[in-house]
Amino acid sequence: MSEPDFVETLIVGGSLAGLTTAIALAARGRPVTVLERTQGRTQRGVAIGLGRTDLDLAVGTELSARVIEHLGEDSLRQGPYPHPWWNVYTALRTTAEELPGITLIDGADVTEVGEDDESAWAVTGDGRRFTARVLIGADGYRSVIRRHVAAHHPYANYAGYIVWLGQSDFPPGVDGKKYRVDFESGGPELLALYPMVQGDGTIPRYGWAWFDAGHNDLLREIGAIDGDEVLHTPRATAIPDEVYATMERRARKWSEPWRTGLKKAFAEHDVIATPITEYIADTVVTGRVAIIGDAAHAQSPMTGAGYYEACADAASIADAIGGDLGKPAMALTGNDPDEVRVALRRYEAQRLQPMRRKVQGGMSFASMLG
């Protein structure tokens, strides 16, 4: 596949926020190119809440129905349950691949961005250059695009605790539909539990998140955090074996049916140790560049709405660039830098203050974990 020299809209980051924004722009008749760092994603994450209304607002009812078809209609009938991250990602990715207005380029590790009055551009580590009228950063809490948009505050702040994330099977004979999203308290620690619905409406597995403020020194020792800045999520191999063994023993304090699955996950090192970030940019746009999703706002998972906020960002910036669904007269009509700037500022005015309030509202959660 030949790579375009110039595109109308370039999105850096092909995860949930980036794919949803690409589909939202396609729904408004705007061509878009998505650059994704990885070369074929692998399954990760835990649970994602997906509301049909939020998706409708972002991508329109027709494309929303297509995403839901790929996700599995039966899963939407199990309203209270979240979905596995991988299922939601796969449904969005499949939909994006089907749309002629979307170009997906994997293995594009963007290391530099810039802009002038005429265009914005992204340069990859292997020297490829992509130029666009508008560039959107959807590249997560370690965003490269944020370093351009908010150079004075480029890194997300560490919230003071880690979350161990995993997925486990319900024990044989246990009906997952008997459970709902729930929380257990164990001293200063908290366990969040998410029975997860599959595309066929069954619930054979649950996701879990163990909130733990006792491994801050470990994160600094292995270089995942520096001071109060989060540098990366550590690989499973970076966690010492004795830490996994300790967490396996400590899992005994949780009740069944959860305890056995947690112990097994730590015994097999099948968990993700995620440093929790809290971040809100002072600005989320420059002249031709904008950031969305975790690149723009990272909030405590206890107060955040995750994918709902990604849909809201996608709807807002797609409206600003492509016009409200059904109102193309509001779209950008040319390449005038003032027109582009006004459009992106419209997105910022709609989303920045509400997200600032939500991020600030969650900043007290870390104190509960000691």
Side-chain angles (χ1 to χ4, degrees), residues 9 11 13 15-28 30 32 34 58-59 92 102 136 138 292-293 307 310-311 313-315 317-318 321:
T9 304
I11 297 176
S15 190
L16 304 190
L19 290 172
T20 303
T21 303
I23 298 169
L25 285 164
R28 291 157 175 81
R30 314 296 282 198
V32 58
V34 180
V59 308
L92 290 169
I102 299 177
I136 299 172
I292 66 172
Y307 185 57
C311 286
D313 282 353
I317 201 162
I321 297 171

Side-chain angles (χ1 to χ4, degrees), residues 237-258:
T237 53
I239 307 294
D241 289 346
E242 57 267 27
V243 173
Y244 287 112
T246 298
M247 296 302 294
E248 181 186 357
R249 290 192 297 271
R250 288 169 57 190
R252 297 170 186 166
K253 67 181 176 181
W254 307 115
S255 67
E256 294 291 13
W258 325 113

Side-chain angles (χ1 to χ4, degrees), residues 16 40-46 48 71 83-92 167:
L16 304 190
R41 281 186 174 271
T42 56
Q43 183 162 336
R44 65 172 191 165
V46 182
I48 296 293
L71 182 64
H83 303 261
W85 181 94
W86 180 254
N87 292 12
V88 176
Y89 166 78
T90 300
L92 290 169
Q167 299 181 19

Side-chain angles (χ1 to χ4, degrees), residues 104-295:
L104 300 170
I105 300 176
D106 293 327
D109 186 6
V110 172
T111 57
E112 176 188 341
V113 297
E115 63 180 305
D116 57 23
D117 278 349
E118 300 299 322
S119 63
W121 58 84
V123 181
T124 62
D126 57 6
R128 288 177 287 172
R129 181 185 176 100
F130 299 86
T131 306
R133 180 164 60 157
V134 177
L135 188 152
I136 299 172
D139 51 341
Y141 77 86
R142 293 184 294 153
S143 173
V144 173
I145 315 307
R146 184 199 296 142
R147 299 172 201 171
H148 172 80
V149 174
H152 59 290
H153 189 191
Y155 295 102
N157 298 325
Y158 181 50
Y161 58 100
I162 191 173
V163 175
W164 302 93
L165 297 172
Q167 299 181 19
S168 301
D169 294 326
F170 276 105
V174 174
D175 182 1
K177 291 185 179 180
K178 291 183 178 179
Y179 299 89
R180 295 289 187 270
V181 175
D182 199 6
F183 301 90
E184 288 194 10
S185 178
E189 298 174 342
L190 187 70
L191 181 67
L193 302 149
Y194 315 95
M196 296 187 300
V197 62
Q198 300 295 320
D200 60 2
T202 62
I203 305 178
R205 311 200 81 203
Y206 60 94
W208 46 268
W210 184 339
F211 295 80
D212 170 19
H215 285 95
N216 294 338
D217 290 342
L218 169 65
L219 295 180
R220 292 187 171 90
E221 290 170 6
I222 63 179
I225 60 174
D226 181 14
D228 66 348
E229 295 178 341
V230 179
L231 304 184
H232 62 84
T233 296
R235 295 181 179 274
T237 53
I239 307 294
D241 289 346
E242 57 267 27
V243 173
Y244 287 112
T246 298
M247 296 302 294
E248 181 186 357
R249 290 192 297 271
R250 288 169 57 190
R252 297 170 186 166
K253 67 181 176 181
W254 307 115
S255 67
E256 294 291 13
W258 325 113
R259 179 194 310 138
T260 299
L262 268 69
K263 290 175 62 178
K264 183 174 184 290
F266 280 104
E268 297 176 353
H269 298 191
D270 188 20
V271 297
I272 302 171
T274 302
I276 295 302
T277 57
E278 293 174 332
Y279 180 86
I280 184 67
D282 295 330
T283 180
V284 293
V285 303
T286 59
R288 292 183 176 273
V289 182
I291 50 178
I292 66 172
D294 285 350

Side-chain angles (χ1 to χ4, degrees), residues 309-350:
E309 301 299 347
C311 286
D313 282 353
S316 178
I317 201 162
D319 283 349
I321 297 171
D324 294 348
L325 283 168
K327 299 178 182 178
M330 298 181 65
L332 289 175
T333 57
N335 199 39
D336 180 86
D338 289 335
E339 185 186 16
V340 174
R341 188 178 302 111
V342 168
L344 293 185
R345 289 295 179 189
R346 189 161 59 243
Y347 153 70
E348 180 178 65
Q350 186 173 34

